């Protein structure tokens, strides 16, 4: 199993990617695990869903290229991309607050996962970025469309087009990170959520519905689908396959 799901005493559900040796990269097992956590959180009385990564080196390093390098055609890529995009849209529209607890570096698809959460908390000193542009592809799990909903246009556009890692302080200034912490990640997250977790679940769901309704009306799901298809086209390009080959053959 590449993940754990725990119900904590304070009333939230904790999902942890447990692939520290792979810098908590996402494979199909992790995808299914996120889906399972979303399902459980939507069915029980959890007041929040927190997503984090094992250890203190990486929150999530994106898609596991040791798995996904086997995808060559746009059809093969689309199957994987659309699966994860559907999961992230379910996460985005989960009727309770969601938190990305960024305890280490967050790269590429890891930032897409974080963007789909309502709040992003990061440890001082981490770096994160939407680096997909360096791989000759775009965000392919819906992260670009989601980011456009959450950040000012210029901030989101520059972050995506630069395709560079940024410091936690820079990401907070741009609006991507909501709060910084120093040491104990979970305790810091619990402190950030203390007042939220004290509220009636029906209140939290009613407020969350304001945003999910907005995203439904603005046809965000359709925009994500367009993003997935565009990424799938780029995925089968020579430029992307050259990048993947260099990555797989590096020392």
């Amino acid at each position: 199993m590449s993940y754990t799901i725990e119900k904590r005493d304070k009333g939230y559900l904790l999902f942890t990617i447990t692939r520290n040796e792979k810098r908590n990269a996402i494979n199909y097992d992790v995808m299914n695990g996120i889906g399972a956590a979303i399902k459980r959180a939507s069915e029980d009385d959890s007041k929040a869903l927190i997503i984090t990564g094992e250890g203190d080196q990486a929150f999530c390093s994106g898609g596991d290229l040791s798995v996904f390098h086997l995808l060559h055609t746009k059809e093969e890529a689309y199957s994987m991309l659309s699966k994860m995009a559907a999961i992230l849209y379910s996460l985005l529209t989960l009727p309770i607050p969601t938190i990305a607890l960024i305890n280490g570096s967050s790269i590429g698809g890891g930032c897409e996962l974080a963007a789909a959460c309502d709040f992003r908390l990061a440890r001082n000193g981490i770096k994160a970025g939407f680096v997909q542009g360096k791989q000759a592809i775009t965000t392919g799990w819906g992260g670009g469309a989601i980011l456009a909903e959450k950040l000012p246009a210029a901030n989101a556009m520059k972050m995506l087009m630069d395709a560079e890692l940024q410091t936690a302080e820079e990401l907070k200034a741009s609006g991507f990170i909501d709060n910084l912490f120093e040491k104990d990640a979970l305790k810091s997250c619990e402190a950030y959520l203390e007042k939220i977790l004290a509220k009636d679940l029906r209140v939290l769901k009613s407020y969350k519905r304001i945003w999910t309704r907005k995203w439904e009306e603005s046809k965000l799901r359709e925009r994500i689908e367009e993003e997935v298809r565009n990424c799938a086209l780029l995925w089968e390009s020579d430029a992307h396959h050259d990048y993947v080959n260099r990555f797989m053959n590096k020392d």
Side-chain angles (χ1 to χ4, degrees):
M1 192 81 77
S2 301
Y3 61 88
T4 60
I5 303 174
E6 307 170 67
K7 183 66 176 285
R8 307 292 290 217
D9 292 340
K10 293 185 182 294
Y12 63 84
L13 201 65
L14 177 65
F15 176 85
T16 307
I17 304 172
T18 57
R19 305 190 74 217
N20 200 21
E21 76 288 352
K22 289 284 190 177
R23 299 186 65 80
N24 295 322
I26 293 174
N27 59 9
Y28 291 110
D29 189 45
V30 173
M31 283 187 188
N32 293 333
I34 297 171
I38 292 167
K39 185 174 187 294
R40 180 171 167 183
S42 65
E43 292 175 349
D44 69 11
D45 59 351
S46 296
K47 289 189 174 180
L49 171 62
I50 298 173
I51 295 178
T52 194
E54 181 182 48
D56 59 4
Q57 295 302 305
F59 165 70
C60 175
S61 59
D64 188 346
L65 283 182
S66 69
V67 176
F68 299 146
H69 79 282
L70 298 172
L71 307 175
H72 296 289
T73 67
K74 62 179 181 292
E75 291 82 10
E76 291 169 340
Y78 177 81
S79 177
M80 179 274 290
L81 296 170
S82 62
K83 175 182 172 71
M84 189 59 179
I87 291 169
L88 290 193
Y89 187 76
S90 295
L91 175 62
L92 180 76
T93 56
L94 188 67
I96 59 173
T98 56
I99 304 90
L101 185 53
I102 305 173
N103 53 311
S105 60
S106 182
I107 299 171
C111 284
E112 297 193 64
L113 174 61
C117 293
D118 299 319
F119 306 104
R120 284 160 294 284
L121 281 57
R123 180 169 52 79
N124 264 315
I126 67 99
K127 288 189 175 183
F130 292 82
V131 300
Q132 289 91 332
K134 290 184 174 181
Q135 303 170 3
I137 55 173
T138 62
T139 49
W141 292 342
I146 292 170
L147 194 68
E149 290 290 318
K150 300 196 172 185
L151 263 60
N155 293 8
M157 203 174 293
K158 193 164 193 307
M159 191 181 298
L160 292 169
M161 292 182 175
D162 278 354
E164 295 288 345
L165 294 178
Q166 297 182 27
T167 65
E169 292 76 12
E170 291 170 329
L171 292 164
K172 189 173 189 299
S174 73
F176 185 70
I177 297 299
D178 298 298
N179 199 48
L180 299 175
F181 60 86
E182 290 291 341
K183 293 183 179 177
D184 192 308
L186 205 53
K187 283 186 178 178
S188 298
C189 189
E190 288 177 351
Y192 184 83
L193 292 175
E194 183 179 6
K195 292 182 175 63
I196 291 176
L197 295 174
K199 301 300 181 292
D200 189 289
L201 180 58
R202 292 167 297 181
V203 171
L204 302 179
K205 288 185 173 183
S206 294
Y207 277 133
K208 182 65 180 281
R209 181 62 183 156
I210 294 172
W211 279 269
T212 56
R213 180 69 174 156
K214 172 180 178 282
W215 293 326
E216 288 166 0
E217 291 181 351
S218 68
K219 298 182 179 180
L220 177 57
R221 188 69 185 89
E222 292 178 18
R223 287 180 279 139
I224 288 173
E225 173 63 18
E226 182 178 0
E227 180 181 334
V228 170
R229 291 190 180 281
N230 287 338
C231 183
L233 285 171
L234 292 170
W235 190 284
E236 72 172 6
S237 69
D238 291 340
H240 177 60
H241 289 312
D242 287 346
Y243 168 83
V244 173
N245 288 333
R246 290 194 303 272
F247 178 85
M248 295 302 297
N249 293 318
K250 70 181 181 180
D251 294 329

